[in-house]
Amino acid sequence: MKLKKNGKKINWWKWGFLLILAINIAFVGVVASRLIQVREPAVESGSSKKTDSVKVGTFSTNREQLNDTVAAICLEACKKAKELGITVSCDLNHRNKLWTKAKAGEVMGELCKYVDVCIANEEDASDVFGIKASNTDVTKGAVNHEGYKDVAKQLADRFGFQKVAITLRESISANDNNWSAMLYDGKDYYFSKKYAMHIVDRVGGGDSFGGGLIYACLSDMDAQSIIEFAVAASCLKHSIEGDMNMVSVDEVKKLAGGDGSGRVQR
């Protein structure tokens, strides 16, 4: 529709469209600013009442803590868990492309003061805390057991961890790895059996190890059984496509007990 004003035609459709477009742009701008805004930490203290239903809390870091607010919340949660007598486990899980070693060391150094069970791979201790295993080259698949005993002890001595579990991946190729792990309980070192794996999907391999470790600890298994169960759970995950470890406890126990036949259990 067009009307004349001062001898000129006014295109109301055009001006209406531009008005709607401006409103939409403004709306998107407001939403975007709210999403990226970094807020100050606002953590409410939880109840000091201890509950029997919570026994273990765990966290893992693989990004620059999203922002400092999340780091502060995670620290507050760890402190509260310690107050309530809840066991805290942590997977160091460092990723070079997602945050710097300096930032990882700064954040994790503070969080680990409240951790009871530390989970790491053959590189994490070096990347995050500068603690290196001697005579080890992970790029060539060379893993020195004695070197990782020293790494576990240094981690436990620095932070007071009750347990340190380290996965030991020996890379033969992208698709074929040797897989084992070590557990240190503050006194003794326990090494699992080694599995020769042909990998279907390694995504979730570390998480399935951590989950298996926590389950075994809560099941009051002895130290050797704990590390055997965790490694077996993770080994099976490497044969499953997708993130989830779609296996049963009985299947994990069977592999951990030495049955690697792969036969269907009926």
Side-chain angles (χ1 to χ4, degrees):
M1 180 176 66
K2 297 181 180 179
L3 299 176
K4 289 185 177 181
K5 183 178 181 181
N6 298 327
K8 296 182 179 180
K9 293 182 178 180
I10 301 175
N11 191 333
W12 292 105
W13 292 111
K14 180 182 75 173
W15 288 108
F17 171 77
L18 291 176
L19 177 61
I20 294 172
L21 180 63
I23 293 172
N24 279 313
I25 291 173
F27 176 76
V28 171
V30 171
V31 171
S33 67
R34 299 292 291 178
L35 288 174
I36 65 175
Q37 182 180 7
V38 177
R39 300 174 179 272
E40 292 298 318
V43 181
E44 295 184 3
S45 297
S47 171
S48 60
K49 183 179 179 181
K50 183 175 178 179
T51 61
D52 294 334
S53 60
V54 179
K55 295 181 179 179
V56 176
T58 188
F59 67 92
S60 174
T61 57
N62 60 5
R63 198 172 179 85
E64 196 164 355
Q65 291 306 116
L66 302 181
N67 53 47
D68 289 338
T69 301
V70 177
I73 292 171
C74 198
L75 180 60
E76 185 71 15
C78 288
K79 290 179 178 179
K80 180 57 64 175
K82 295 299 288 185
E83 288 179 17
L84 298 176
I86 297 171
T87 299
V88 177
S89 71
C90 165
D91 187 344
L92 295 182
N93 199 21
H94 179 66
R95 295 292 183 268
N96 284 313
K97 293 183 179 179
L98 295 177
W99 63 343
T100 65
K101 294 178 181 179
K103 182 65 174 180
E106 174 190 342
V107 173
M108 296 306 298
E110 186 63 27
L111 291 172
C112 281
K113 295 176 182 178
Y114 304 93
V115 169
D116 302 294
V117 180
C118 178
I119 302 168
N121 67 23
E122 67 278 4
E123 297 178 276
D124 288 334
S126 173
D127 289 339
V128 179
F129 298 124
I131 301 174
K132 301 180 183 296
S134 59
N135 300 320
T136 292
D137 186 345
V138 295
T139 62
K140 296 180 180 179
V143 174
N144 176 25
H145 282 193
E146 293 302 318
Y148 281 104
K149 285 183 179 181
D150 183 53
V151 168
K153 189 175 189 309
Q154 286 190 57
L155 285 170
D157 289 346
R158 181 183 297 190
F159 296 106
F161 299 140
Q162 295 175 14
K163 290 182 175 66
V164 178
I166 301 177
T167 57
L168 306 172
R169 185 187 296 273
E170 301 172 46
S171 296
I172 300 169
S173 69
N175 295 324
D176 294 281
N177 289 177
N178 290 329
W179 183 245
S180 61
M182 182 206 74
L183 178 66
Y184 176 58
D185 64 1
K187 298 183 296 181
D188 298 311
Y189 304 88
Y190 303 87
F191 285 87
S192 74
K193 63 173 66 69
K194 184 188 297 185
Y195 296 93
M197 303 186 304
H198 182 73
I199 299 170
V200 173
D201 191 344
R202 65 181 288 173
V203 174
D207 291 335
S208 58
F209 174 84
L213 188 87
I214 292 170
Y215 176 87
C217 288
L218 289 174
S219 299
D220 293 324
M221 296 183 188
D222 61 80
Q224 188 64 49
S225 297
I226 288 172
I227 198 64
E228 295 289 2
F229 185 92
V231 171
S234 182
C235 179
L236 288 171
K237 169 60 197 74
H238 282 76
S239 70
I240 298 171
E241 190 173 356
D243 293 0
M244 299 298 292
N245 195 17
M246 307 297 289
V247 296
S248 68
V249 170
D250 287 341
E251 288 170 328
V252 176
K253 286 183 175 179
K254 197 164 189 66
L255 180 60
D259 186 349
S261 66
R263 293 177 63 85
V264 176
Q265 304 302 313
R266 303 185 189 278

